[in-house]
């Protein structure tokens, strides 16, 4: 993965600073779907650790070779490997007004690491209030979705390997079956969306990621949204959360 240098990239005084946003929720809760909408509207990048790992697996990098079997069985990739990936990504110039973390953090050690990392970033930007807001304490949007709904979303999910757009054969089908509306590419199914792997991912979510709800609630950063509503409703509530936090 190529890391762009961010040194010298300042934040324009009049540019809106959205700051960091975390999307938290179980597999298929809609984190990726909402992250793309937030990214388009607020003009900040979506940083999906799952997408970065899948790109590394496809490219057979050292990270990808370590992560492949772990992801295929539905386990979490080791914290240090994921944190190293995230720190490189946060240094890129497009994070200068904020960023959306989709699928990160996923364990309490990852959350503690992120808080420390954001603290260091703010310290480096001392005296530049706008730049400090871009790496302020994150707003955490938790998407709540029932297990059976998640299972239907997982089995119906298809995605475009070219543009990354996500569809669902039951709930949000493409106009032509199996073909991306945007670029005409044949849609694919993720290997970890098989039902037995999904069950394993859910177990790991409950055991390792759910404690983050208390972690962020105790710090007053958690906003809960009913993720079973239509995409547009979820989006409206997520946007309201982001804008309310920005007014504080
Ligand atoms: P990752 O890619 O992050 O997978 P995930 O968290 O399991 O989440 P998904 O991508 O499955 O779902 P989503 O919430 O983004 O839902 P989506 O919007 O696609 O991680 C994969 C693996 O990588 C992990 O298992 C782990 O091994 C590793 N990994 C990643 N990050 C890691 C980390 N930090 N630490 C350690 N390991 C890590 O939507 C799902 C479907 O539902 C779609 O079909 C969509 O169209 C549909 N849909 C979405 N919203 C709605 C709605 N409101 N109504 C109806 N349908 C909807």
């Amino acid at each position: 993965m190529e890391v762009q240098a961010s040194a010298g990239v300042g934040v324009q005084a009049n540019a809106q600073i959205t700051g960091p946003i975390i999307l938290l929720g179980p597999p298929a809760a809609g984190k990726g779907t909402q992250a793309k909408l937030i990214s388009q509207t607020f003009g900040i990048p979506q940083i999906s650790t799952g997408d970065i790992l899948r790109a590394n697996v496809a490219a057979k990098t050292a990270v990808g070779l370590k992560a492949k079997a772990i992801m295929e069985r539905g386990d979490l990739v080791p914290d240090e490997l994921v944190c190293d990936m995230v720190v490189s990504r946060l240094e890129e110039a497009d994070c200068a007004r904020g960023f959306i973390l989709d699928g990160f953090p996923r364990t309490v050690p990852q959350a503690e690491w992120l808080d420390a990392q954001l603290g260091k970033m703010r310290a480096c930007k001392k005296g530049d209030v706008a730049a400090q807001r871009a790496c302020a304490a994150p707003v955490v949007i938790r998407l709540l979705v029932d297990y059976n709904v998640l299972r239907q979303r997982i089995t119906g999910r298809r995605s475009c390997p070219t543009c990354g757009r996500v569809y669902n054969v039951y709930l949000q089908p493409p106009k032509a079956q199996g073909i991306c509306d945007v670029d005409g590419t044949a849609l694919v199914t993720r290997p970890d969306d098989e039902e037995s792997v999904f069950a394993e991912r859910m177990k790991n979510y409950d055991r390792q990621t759910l404690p983050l709800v208390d972690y962020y609630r105790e710090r007053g950063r958690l906003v809960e949204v009913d993720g079973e509503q239509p995409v547009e409703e979820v989006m409206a509530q997520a946007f309201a959360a982001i804008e309310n936090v920005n007014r504080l």
Side-chain angles (χ1 to χ4, degrees):
M1 245 180 326
E2 201 182 3
V3 178
Q4 295 169 14
S6 63
V9 177
V11 178
Q12 287 172 15
N14 58 355
Q16 190 194 342
I17 311 294
T18 307
I21 296 163
I22 292 173
L23 287 166
L24 180 66
K31 303 182 294 295
T33 301
Q34 294 301 325
K36 286 183 181 62
L37 296 168
I38 297 169
S39 174
Q40 285 158 14
T41 305
F42 290 85
I44 56 174
Q46 170 193 12
I47 302 177
S48 159
T49 42
D51 285 348
I52 299 173
L53 285 165
R54 279 185 287 279
N56 276 277
V57 170
K60 296 189 169 68
T61 64
V63 168
L65 293 174
K66 278 187 203 155
K68 186 172 187 289
I70 300 172
M71 294 172 75
E72 279 174 356
R73 59 174 187 263
D75 286 338
L76 292 188
V77 172
D79 290 337
E80 57 280 8
L81 205 148
V82 183
C83 292
D84 282 353
M85 268 172 23
V86 171
V87 77
S88 311
R89 185 61 186 86
L90 295 185
E91 282 165 8
E92 293 187 35
D94 62 349
C95 294
R97 293 190 303 109
F99 43 86
I100 308 149
L101 291 169
D102 159 11
F104 182 92
R106 245 177 163 99
T107 63
V108 170
Q110 288 182 15
E112 289 168 344
W113 174 89
L114 179 66
D115 280 342
Q117 187 59 34
L118 292 173
K120 278 187 219 162
M121 289 165 72
R122 288 193 295 275
C124 287
K125 289 164 183 159
K126 214 169 163 194
D128 184 342
V129 176
Q132 283 193 318
R133 279 192 65 192
C135 44
V139 53
V140 182
I141 301 170
R142 179 190 183 195
L143 301 176
L144 295 157
V145 183
D146 178 75
Y147 183 89
N148 288 325
V149 176
L150 295 172
R151 200 170 53 188
Q152 189 193 28
R153 287 187 186 178
I154 282 276
T155 53
R157 173 165 56 188
R158 304 288 181 274
S159 54
C160 174
T162 304
C163 71
R165 181 155 172 189
V166 178
Y167 298 86
N168 191 287
V169 294
Y170 310 117
L171 309 163
Q172 292 152 344
K175 288 181 189 134
Q177 193 184 339
I179 303 293
C180 180
D181 295 349
V182 180
D183 50 37
T185 306
L187 301 177
V188 296
T189 304
R190 264 169 53 175
D192 61 347
D193 278 353
E194 198 211 313
E195 195 146 353
S196 61
V197 184
F198 165 64
E200 201 53 39
R201 286 161 67 197
M202 279 304 299
K203 272 192 222 155
N204 285 322
Y205 176 78
D206 288 345
R207 201 162 45 89
Q208 294 176 273
T209 309
L210 217 44
L212 290 181
V213 171
D214 283 342
Y215 180 92
Y216 285 120
R217 187 179 281 136
E218 282 160 14
R219 287 159 179 79
R221 299 190 215 151
L222 190 75
V223 180
E224 296 190 315
V225 174
D226 174 3
E228 291 187 24
Q229 304 172 93
V231 169
E232 297 70 27
E233 292 297 318
V234 178
M235 181 184 89
Q237 291 180 18
F239 283 16
I242 295 164
E243 280 161 357
N244 285 340
V245 165
N246 281 339
R247 275 189 234 116
L248 295 177

